[in-house]
Amino acid sequence: VYPAAAFVESMLAAARDLHQSDKLELERVSVFRPLPLSDASPKAVRILVDREDGGLVVEARPYMSAEPWGAYARARIVKDADTPAEPELSVTTPDVFGVAVEKATLYETASRFLLNYGPAFRTVEKAWVRPESAQPEVLAEFSEPDSLSAKGMLIPPTLLDGALQSLFILLGTQKKGSNHAFLPVAFERVVLHAPGRPRYAHARLERLSPRSVVASFRLMDSTGKTLLHLHNCRFRRAAW
């Protein structure tokens, strides 16, 4: 399945093409149906942008097919990207952030939520969780992405996906919603402050119900400077 992180990266690339800037914002991002991928059925993907109002839609159809294009995701490109970055988060001593969670534990937890990641997407090397705070939060450290997945990207999708994976650590601290997979379906606002390869991600649980989760994510460089901020991301409980 084409991951939500790839939809976001594609949308940001379209926004940069429109505004010729590395500081970009998207709002009302919605991934409303999955785009299945397989070697047996490759897909052609296109992005349509309304240059007047910034409306954007991602469409796909089978490769080399005359079938009608189908819409899979939408967003709006903000004309004047001026949301300020939050203060830098101290990452010089991540071990003092909270309780350490090893890589194997994270992906075992993800498996409990019925999600199994291939080697290229296992990008979280270690994490630290604060489960007892009013809004549980996680600091995750990334491994270096493979050069193929990072080449030419504003934010490598495998690292963006890794940030979203830290949600499972937060869910593992909660009683509601345990043992169910939650998939990202909407982002209230996506703010790119600068392109780059994040070293850390910070995730904060905003709201939790039996059928949905809302969390916010910051992807940061090795100094704690925010590169990308995902505001109020909604995850919906999977049907399986």
Side-chain angles (χ1 to χ4, degrees), residues 140-156:
E141 183 177 8
F142 297 125
S143 56
E144 186 69 18
D146 66 85
S147 58
L148 183 61
S149 66
K151 185 178 180 181
M153 301 293 175
L154 294 168
I155 299 290

Side-chain angles (χ1 to χ4, degrees), residues 8-186:
V8 171
E9 168 65 23
S10 300
M11 291 174 173
L12 288 172
R16 183 172 63 173
D17 182 66
L18 178 64
H19 291 310
Q20 297 297 303
S21 171
D22 283 337
K23 187 173 183 181
L24 305 164
E25 290 189 34
L26 306 170
E27 63 180 11
R28 300 194 300 272
V29 178
S30 174
V31 180
F32 45 83
R33 62 170 171 157
L35 174 56
L37 301 175
S38 71
D39 291 337
S41 180
K43 298 294 191 298
V45 178
R46 70 180 184 181
I47 299 177
L48 305 179
V49 177
D50 186 323
R51 293 183 176 269
E52 295 298 322
D53 66 8
L56 176 156
V57 60
V58 182
E59 297 183 336
R61 69 181 182 186
Y63 184 65
M64 298 293 288
S65 167
E67 290 184 18
W69 292 90
Y72 289 83
R74 297 183 188 277
R76 180 181 172 273
I77 301 170
V78 177
K79 184 175 181 180
D80 298 310
D82 58 0
T83 300
E86 291 191 8
E88 293 183 7
L89 185 69
S90 176
V91 293
T92 53
T93 54
D95 286 320
V96 305
F97 182 88
V99 179
V101 179
E102 299 299 327
K103 182 173 187 173
T105 302
L106 166 61
Y107 291 106
E108 286 170 5
T109 303
S111 295
R112 180 161 61 86
F113 287 100
L114 308 179
L115 292 170
N116 296 297
Y117 294 94
F121 280 86
R122 294 186 172 227
T123 52
V124 177
E125 197 62 36
K126 193 173 183 179
W128 299 264
V129 60
R130 290 175 178 168
E132 304 301 331
S133 59
Q135 291 179 297
E137 52 188 325
V138 167
L139 178 67
E141 183 177 8
F142 297 125
S143 56
E144 186 69 18
D146 66 85
S147 58
L148 183 61
S149 66
K151 185 178 180 181
M153 301 293 175
L154 294 168
I155 299 290
T158 53
L159 298 185
L160 176 50
D161 196 86
L164 300 178
Q165 293 167 22
S166 63
L167 175 74
F168 301 117
I169 299 175
L170 294 175
L171 292 180
T173 69
Q174 307 296 303
K175 293 182 179 179
K176 292 189 292 184
S178 60
N179 297 319
H180 292 289
F182 288 84
L183 305 177
V185 295

